[in-house]
Amino acid sequence: MTKCPVCKRQGMTRVATGDGLSVLACDACGGQWLSRKDYEAWLSAHGETLPEKAYSEVKFDIEDVHDAKVCPDCSRFLLKYRVGHGLDFYVDHCGSCGGVWLDKHEWNALKDKNLHDEIHRVFSTHWQADVRKEQMSDCLDSVYRSRFGEKDYEMARQVRSWIQASEDRDALIRFLADDDPYAV
Ligand SMILES: [Zn+2]
Ligand SMILES: [Zn+2]
């Protein structure tokens, strides 16, 4: 019997998900343990990586468990990695055996965006660098949003993309920034 990293007691059982992946599932918290071997076997049967879906209509009720978690297979601490790409939760990874812990509903949320076949990439430096860029841009976005107000910010964004697409970009910027319309 293997210990659930969240409930910290025995009682995880091996089940096959609807997608044919073999996991250890905890009935009490709804979390799932994906061993590296099982995930890799599933990945190779799964075939080509599905293209990521940008938007999702569905909202998943995910509660990240922030307590330190211990790997059910090799007892090392699991490290948290933010998923990003519009998903604001973390997945836990064992750097030693490569297993992954998903809290309740996380698999479904990943699957909804076709990221369930890229979980192994979330732990790469490249993926995490993208996540940080995304966070910075979200942060700037909210700073400008509160400074300009919703309506002006939307207008400014539209004007900006119009200017960026223009062939006479510099002249447009000068014109917009100048109080005197006759100055060229
Ligand atoms: Zn549990
Ligand atoms: Zn481990």
Side-chain angles (χ1 to χ4, degrees):
M1 289 291 253
T2 319
K3 250 187 197 174
C4 168
V6 173
C7 308
K8 297 183 173 69
R9 55 185 173 85
Q10 314 280 350
M12 292 212 288
T13 47
R14 183 157 291 282
V15 295
T17 66
D19 306 286
L21 172 65
S22 171
V23 299
L24 281 174
C26 173
D27 282 346
C29 68
Q32 296 175 324
W33 176 248
L34 286 57
S35 80
R36 183 178 180 152
K37 187 169 131 274
D38 290 336
Y39 186 64
E40 278 176 356
W42 177 81
L43 266 185
S44 59
H46 174 76
E48 257 179 70
T49 306
L50 300 168
E52 181 181 340
K53 286 192 243 165
Y55 299 104
S56 172
E57 299 289 312
V58 196
K59 286 275 164 273
F60 294 92
D61 187 17
I62 292 171
E63 270 186 51
D64 257 326
V65 180
H66 291 292
D67 296 353
K69 296 172 196 153
V70 168
C71 176
D73 282 339
C74 64
S75 302
R76 309 280 180 99
F77 277 112
L78 303 178
L79 292 177
K80 291 185 177 310
Y81 293 83
R82 188 184 268 273
V83 177
H85 294 236
L87 298 176
D88 63 354
F89 59 86
Y90 294 78
V91 291
D92 300 88
H93 180 241
C94 176
S96 175
C97 70
V100 178
W101 176 257
L102 300 177
D103 291 314
K104 191 178 181 182
H105 299 314
E106 287 181 349
W107 173 264
N108 289 335
L110 289 161
K111 190 183 164 191
D112 190 55
K113 284 181 66 74
N114 278 347
L115 292 175
H116 60 317
D117 55 6
E118 292 186 78
I119 299 176
H120 55 309
R121 302 210 170 108
V122 172
F123 317 114
S124 68
T125 33
H126 180 74
W127 187 287
Q128 287 302 309
D130 280 352
V131 168
R132 275 190 295 278
K133 261 188 241 159
E134 189 185 320
Q135 278 181 285
M136 297 259 271
S137 136
D138 286 354
C139 178
L140 271 179
D141 200 61
S142 70
V143 167
Y144 284 128
R145 207 174 280 279
S146 68
R147 174 161 178 172
F148 299 146
E150 200 65 42
K151 200 164 143 249
D152 283 359
Y153 182 56
E154 278 314 313
M155 175 68 86
R157 277 160 54 102
Q158 280 175 31
V159 170
R160 187 173 61 178
S161 47
W162 163 65
I163 288 174
Q164 278 167 352
S166 163
E167 292 191 355
D168 213 357
R169 193 169 172 264
D170 293 344
L172 272 176
I173 293 170
R174 278 202 302 276
F175 175 77
L176 286 170
D178 204 322
D179 291 336
D180 179 2
Y182 299 103
V184 179

